[in-house]
Amino acid sequence: MVFNEVGIIKFLPQFIFKRHRMLSQVQEAEFNSYYGIYIAKAEQPNIVEGLQHSKQEFIDFVTAIPAEKWTYAYAEGKWTIAEVLQHIIDTERIFAYRALRFARNDKTPIMGFEQDNYVPNSNANQYSIKAMISDFEATRNNSISLFKSFTPEMLTRIGEASGSPMSARAAGYILTGHQKHHFEVIQERYL
């Protein structure tokens, strides 16, 4: 499954909310249930520690991908590995921005983004592995710095994105869970 805000799932089974510790950190009212699959994959209760850990995980994962697989797509019309990785970076930038707005108590609704328009315009297949890692590191370092600056109160502030409520902390957990989700997809379908 590829991340798509347009096709929002209306609910997740309640057992997911009980089984995953990140979901016990975040109230259901803090995010659209679509994002529960990503929040459930976040492994660290501390958002900053999760971002730091998954930063190295990204670097290790990307460097282990054989060069000949970089522009491989497992089926016609599917993204290449490079495009999936660029999608992770683009999504991080968007969700970090959302977290900043929510933490600052900005109540202006934020429109969604159409990932399928971003990918073909990303030029991801032309990036080297080294350039992709450098881009990710810069993006992740900014996210880490941002989340370090948030107080506990700021993390619980809620704004609106894509027509649904979202807290700053939900956005933080989504970042690491979204990355993990796509790593699993790459491992299952690409490698």
Side-chain angles (χ1 to χ4, degrees):
M1 180 172 121
V2 177
F3 179 77
N4 185 344
E5 287 190 288
V6 176
I8 294 176
I9 299 168
K10 295 298 179 194
F11 70 95
L12 283 177
Q14 289 299 312
F15 74 90
I16 287 179
F17 292 103
K18 294 175 184 169
R19 285 185 29 203
H20 299 285
R21 72 183 138 149
M22 287 324 102
L23 289 173
S24 68
Q25 300 280 335
V26 183
Q27 303 300 311
E28 289 180 53
E30 294 181 51
F31 60 95
N32 184 296
S33 60
Y34 171 83
Y35 297 110
I37 60 172
Y38 301 122
I39 294 172
K41 290 180 183 292
E43 297 173 343
Q44 297 285 332
N46 182 291
I47 294 170
V48 171
E49 289 174 12
L51 291 169
Q52 290 168 332
H53 173 77
S54 61
K55 174 183 164 185
Q56 189 59 49
E57 186 178 65
F58 183 94
I59 294 166
D60 294 344
F61 185 81
V62 171
T63 56
I65 296 171
E68 65 273 10
K69 290 281 195 174
W70 191 247
T71 57
Y72 168 76
Y74 68 89
E76 183 70 30
K78 297 297 182 182
W79 297 344
T80 65
I81 290 176
E83 289 170 332
V84 172
L85 297 173
Q86 185 61 54
H87 165 70
I88 292 169
I89 295 167
D90 288 348
T91 300
E92 176 138 351
R93 289 175 170 140
I94 290 165
F95 276 75
Y97 171 72
R98 289 176 178 185
L100 171 65
R101 297 240 339 236
F102 303 153
R104 299 294 188 258
N105 220 18
D106 185 341
K107 298 298 183 187
T108 308
I110 302 171
M111 295 197 48
F113 74 102
E114 180 47 64
Q115 66 184 14
D116 291 324
N117 293 336
Y118 277 58
V119 171
N121 294 296
S122 70
N123 202 32
N125 292 325
Q126 306 309 311
Y127 285 173
S128 68
I129 293 172
K130 183 178 178 181
M132 183 75 67
I133 290 171
S134 177
D135 197 21
F136 174 77
E137 281 187 296
T139 302
R140 180 54 59 93
N141 287 339
N142 284 328
S143 295
I144 290 168
S145 178
L146 178 66
F147 279 91
K148 278 183 177 179
S149 76
F150 294 159
T151 65
E153 178 193 351
M154 290 175 183
L155 286 169
T156 61
R157 289 181 183 155
I158 295 175
E160 182 183 318
S162 304
S164 297
M166 181 178 288
S167 68
R169 69 180 172 185
Y173 289 128
I174 289 167
L175 293 178
T176 57
H178 179 253
Q179 175 183 321
K180 185 171 181 64
H181 164 76
H182 281 294
F183 283 6
E184 291 169 355
V185 170
I186 290 171
Q187 289 170 327
E188 291 170 10
R189 300 181 186 170
Y190 290 82
L191 300 178

